[in-house]
């Protein structure tokens, strides 16, 4: 049986990347972070602290700041909570090689959590308001993310 951060760790070589190895926490806080990740293609990683890890999505066009703009959000592996503070250079040849910068961070309130739907209220510097993530039908990884109000 795989453990919560196995996939995250299997993809990385911690002797080469400055990313944190991290560990699963028994308690979850209420932090969110968006990291601008200039990798092979530029994207923004949206992460919510849930179940002692950071649930993560890669948003190719960026998290919308205004209501009614729908953006594809591709689910990626859970990251450790420590990752919320990570900024830096992932070296060439390593998974996700490129520059990571924190684009926004803050707190969130979880309004709804279902298998295919998550509703949160974000309180960040750039992002605030109610956001919804909905998984596409018959799809494992692809979600839509939008601001509701
Ligand atoms: Mn990324």
């Amino acid at each position: 049986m795989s453990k919560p951060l196995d996939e995250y760790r299997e993809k990385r070589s911690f002797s080469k990347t400055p990313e944190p190895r991290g560990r699963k926490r028994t308690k979850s806080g209420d932090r969110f972070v968006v990291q601008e990740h200039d990798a092979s293609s530029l994207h923004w990683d949206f992460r919510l602290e849930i179940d002692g890890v950071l649930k993560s999505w890669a948003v190719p066009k960026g998290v919308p700041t205004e209501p009614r703009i729908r953006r594809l959000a591709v689910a990626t592996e859970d990251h450790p909570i420590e990752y919320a503070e990570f900024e830096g250079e992932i070296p060439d040849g390593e998974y996700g090689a490129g520059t990571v910068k924190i684009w926004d961070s803050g707190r969130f309130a979880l309004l709804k959590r279902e298998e295919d739907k998550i509703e949160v209220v974000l309180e960040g510097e750039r992002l605030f308001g109610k956001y919804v993530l909905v998984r596409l039908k018959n799809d494992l990884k692809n979600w839509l993310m939008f601001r509701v109000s």
Side-chain angles (χ1 to χ4, degrees):
M1 188 140 151
S2 68
K3 294 201 269 317
L5 295 170
D6 279 358
E7 189 181 351
Y8 172 85
R9 288 177 177 158
E10 279 161 14
K11 288 182 170 184
R12 291 167 175 82
S13 169
F14 294 102
S15 59
K16 293 178 185 151
T17 179
E19 295 166 289
R21 186 177 161 77
R23 61 189 172 84
K24 183 186 183 293
R25 305 288 178 85
T26 49
K27 282 192 201 163
S28 291
D30 58 355
R31 298 176 67 184
F32 84 89
V33 66
V34 178
Q35 283 152 322
E36 185 176 320
H37 188 182
D38 194 1
S40 52
S41 62
L42 177 65
H43 61 274
W44 286 260
D45 289 301
F46 176 67
R47 311 188 198 280
L48 293 172
E49 195 174 345
I50 293 178
D51 294 344
V53 295
L54 293 174
K55 293 288 170 193
S56 298
W57 292 262
V59 188
K61 293 190 171 175
V63 178
T65 54
E66 300 298 326
R68 289 182 292 278
I69 300 165
R70 287 170 178 251
R71 292 278 161 82
L72 176 69
V74 182
T76 56
E77 77 276 16
D78 294 344
H79 280 49
I81 303 290
E82 288 87 344
Y83 208 93
E85 309 201 339
F86 176 71
E87 290 190 295
E89 289 290 328
I90 302 169
D92 283 349
E94 295 306 300
Y95 179 73
T99 307
V100 176
K101 287 181 199 155
I102 295 174
W103 183 83
D104 198 16
S105 66
R107 307 271 165 193
F108 73 96
L110 188 60
L111 300 182
K112 182 183 277 188
R113 186 184 178 202
E114 296 169 352
E115 186 70 17
D116 300 315
K117 191 174 194 184
I118 293 172
E119 294 182 9
V120 290
V121 175
L122 302 180
E123 263 184 71
E125 300 286 322
R126 292 167 128 150
L127 299 179
F128 51 87
K130 183 176 168 184
Y131 280 78
V132 176
L133 285 139
V134 189
R135 197 201 308 252
L136 298 181
K137 278 212 166 58
N138 305 317
D139 200 300
L140 278 178
K141 298 218 157 190
N142 293 319
W143 298 60
L144 285 178
M145 179 179 190
F146 51 94
R147 182 177 165 191
V148 175
S149 59

